[in-house]
Amino acid sequence: PCLRVLHEHPEKINKVVLIAPAFPETRDSNFIELGTKDPRKIHCWQSLEEVRHFGTAVAGCHKGHMMMYNAILSGMVRQRSDVYGKHEGNFFANYASAMGMLEKESTT
């Protein structure tokens, strides 16, 4: 996971580009497997519990990493709700379906 490498070896990193959303060409087998089991554990997170899992399992942040502080994660959840909560239907179920992930919930 990219954030773990950035945290553990900052001297080896010259430039970083975050590609979001994850297009099929950018997803590795671990990402696809996790997304197929439960899209909410990767980019389709909405709750504090889901973003906490994303931070550790996908982004590679350890428990003490600044990105895992409750205040930051809560702000991310609130921001995501403010932005994506305005879309018709269930934005994240639609995203998972469009990305070819196993749809675990209704898109309506």
Side-chain angles (χ1 to χ4, degrees), residues 35-99:
T36 301
K37 286 180 183 176
D38 189 351
R40 293 229 178 252
K41 298 280 177 144
I42 51 172
H43 292 299
C44 298
W45 57 264
Q46 286 183 283
S47 71
L48 184 58
E49 179 184 334
E50 291 165 347
V51 73
R52 187 172 283 120
H53 181 273
F54 174 84
T56 56
V58 179
C61 298
H62 56 81
K63 188 175 181 179
H65 192 282
M66 182 178 78
M67 288 300 296
M68 298 305 293
Y69 292 170
N70 281 338
I72 291 174
L73 295 178
S74 294
M76 291 170 65
V77 169
R78 183 176 52 251
Q79 185 270 345
R80 182 161 273 204
S81 175
D82 290 347
V83 172
Y84 298 110
K86 298 173 185 176
H87 293 273
E88 268 188 52
N90 185 324
F91 178 85
F92 293 100
N94 291 333
Y95 173 85
S97 178
M99 293 305 294

